[in-house]
Amino acid sequence: RLGLAMREIVTSQFSALYAGGEKTKVWGGAESVTDVAWNFAENMLLTSQLALFMPFKTPDEVVVRFDNTIAAKVNQYVSVSFNVQLINDVTSATRRTQVKEVLALGLSYQFI
């Protein structure tokens, strides 16, 4: 999808890093979100989302959020998922790409 969007950051402790010294910061801009879901094996699913936000005031500072998850059902009781999220927010003071990885193991049992 493609459209117009508002982005708001609200912070109380780290305003210098995330909101330019203010408690809140609001941008208007254009946003693009692309979603993909792909069953690449009988018991495995890849879901991916790429979100781009371009502020109108500074169109060269595009905010990128890229979220990928692989979920697998091992058997009737066990499932596993692996998630990698990349965030490149050039509007923050750090200007570094952030990476978050999560490996989750799920157990399920039906009582009734």
Side-chain angles (χ1 to χ4, degrees), residues 79-98:
S79 60
V80 176
S81 69
F82 180 66
N83 177 271
V84 176
Q85 186 178 39
L86 297 159
I87 301 171
N88 188 10
D89 188 352
V90 295
T91 60
S92 69
T94 59
R95 294 189 162 296
R96 290 185 168 178
T97 300
Q98 302 171 43

Side-chain angles (χ1 to χ4, degrees), residues 21-91:
E22 303 171 18
K23 297 269 185 196
T24 62
K25 193 166 186 178
V26 179
W27 295 274
E31 181 181 47
S32 169
V33 179
T34 304
D35 292 307
V36 173
W38 176 40
N39 281 324
F40 61 93
E42 182 179 328
N43 62 338
M44 298 182 82
L45 173 68
L46 169 71
T47 56
S48 183
Q49 182 182 67
L50 175 63
L52 305 170
F53 178 79
M54 181 186 69
F56 290 137
K57 289 185 179 179
T58 54
D60 58 328
E61 294 182 348
V62 177
V63 177
V64 178
R65 297 178 71 86
F66 193 38
D67 192 3
N68 300 289
T69 302
I70 295 177
K73 186 153 179 77
V74 178
N75 59 31
Q76 182 181 359
Y77 304 107
V78 178
S79 60
V80 176
S81 69
F82 180 66
N83 177 271
V84 176
Q85 186 178 39
L86 297 159
I87 301 171
N88 188 10
D89 188 352
V90 295
T91 60

